Amino acid sequence: MADGKAATVPGHVHGAEGSRRDFLMVATGALGAVGAIGAVWPFIAQMNPSADVLAMSSTEIDIGAVKEGQAITAVWRGKPVFIRHRTKEEITKAEADDKADLRDPETDEKRVKKPEWLILVGVCTHLGCVPLGQKSADPRGEFGGWYCPCHGSQYDTSGRIRRGPAPLNLALPPYEFLSDTKIRIG
C-alpha cells in the first residue's frame, strides 16, 4: 500500500493467531472424521458373514482312504460334492471323449487338477436334482459317469453333459490339494 501498511483481508487473521486457528480447524475436522468412521464401523462390520457361514465356505476332506474306482460325497455350502478316484479306464475314456461332439465343450484336462481325481458339484444343471452314479450299484448312464433319473440327463466320466436336457456340465467347485491325501473345497 502507499502508506506502508499491509492490506488486510476481511475474516483472515495474520501471524500466530491465524496459524493456531487453522490448526484447530484441521484438527477438529480430522477428529470428527475419525469419530464418524468409529461410529459407522460397527454397522459395516455386522454385514460380514458370521462364523457359521465362514465355516461352511470351505471344507477340508481326507481322500486317503478312497480307493481307485471308489467315490465319496462331501457337503460344501449345503450342496453335494462328488469326489471320484478315477480308474485308468475312466481317465482314458474321458480323454478320448474330448474329441466328441459336446454340448458344453471342455477338455478333461481343464476339468481336473490331477487326472485320477475328479471333483464336481453333484447338482444336475437342468433342474437341480442330484444325479446317481456315486454308488457302484447306481445307474451311470450310457457314458459311465452320472445319470439324473428326473429327466434323463447323462454325464460322462469327466462330468460333461452328453445326453438329456441339462444345458451344462456338472460344475467344478474351487478346490486345492493340500497334500496327496487331503483337499480343501472352497
Side-chain angles (χ1 to χ4, degrees), residues 112-137:
V112 296
K113 293 185 179 179
K114 292 184 178 183
E116 65 273 18
W117 291 104
L118 180 63
I119 301 168
L120 308 165
V121 175
V123 176
C124 180
T125 58
H126 179 231
L127 291 176
C129 307
V130 177
L132 302 175
Q134 283 297 89
K135 298 175 185 167
S136 59

Side-chain angles (χ1 to χ4, degrees), residues 1-180:
M1 301 255 28
D3 60 4
K5 293 183 180 176
T8 60
V9 177
H12 183 73
V13 180
H14 293 283
E17 186 64 29
S19 63
R20 182 171 182 233
R21 180 177 294 165
D22 292 342
F23 169 76
L24 289 174
M25 291 299 286
V26 170
T28 303
L31 187 60
V34 169
I37 291 171
V40 172
W41 190 262
F43 297 108
I44 293 171
Q46 65 91 21
M47 289 186 238
N48 286 331
S50 61
D52 60 334
V53 170
L54 287 175
M56 284 183 58
S57 69
S58 70
T59 185
E60 291 184 9
I61 301 160
D62 184 2
I63 56 174
V66 182
K67 305 288 184 232
E68 189 175 298
Q70 289 184 325
I72 60 170
T73 303
V75 177
W76 171 67
R77 291 186 177 174
K79 297 177 186 172
V81 174
F82 295 164
I83 302 168
R84 184 178 285 181
H85 192 170
R86 301 191 299 177
T87 64
K88 293 192 185 326
E89 294 80 27
E90 288 176 320
I91 296 167
T92 301
K93 184 164 176 37
E95 289 171 348
D97 287 345
D98 285 350
K99 298 171 187 74
D101 184 27
L102 300 171
R103 183 176 305 159
D104 185 10
E106 198 171 19
T107 64
D108 183 62
E109 183 180 19
K110 287 187 177 182
R111 295 186 57 77
V112 296
K113 293 185 179 179
K114 292 184 178 183
E116 65 273 18
W117 291 104
L118 180 63
I119 301 168
L120 308 165
V121 175
V123 176
C124 180
T125 58
H126 179 231
L127 291 176
C129 307
V130 177
L132 302 175
Q134 283 297 89
K135 298 175 185 167
S136 59
D138 282 351
R140 293 189 175 179
E142 184 180 329
F143 303 96
W146 291 268
Y147 172 72
C148 186
C150 300
H151 298 100
S153 293
Q154 296 182 36
Y155 299 89
D156 67 12
T157 58
S158 192
R160 297 173 293 200
I161 183 63
R162 299 300 299 276
R163 182 167 289 146
L168 302 171
N169 300 332
L170 292 175
L172 303 171
Y175 71 94
E176 64 180 324
F177 282 89
L178 301 176
S179 69
D180 287 342

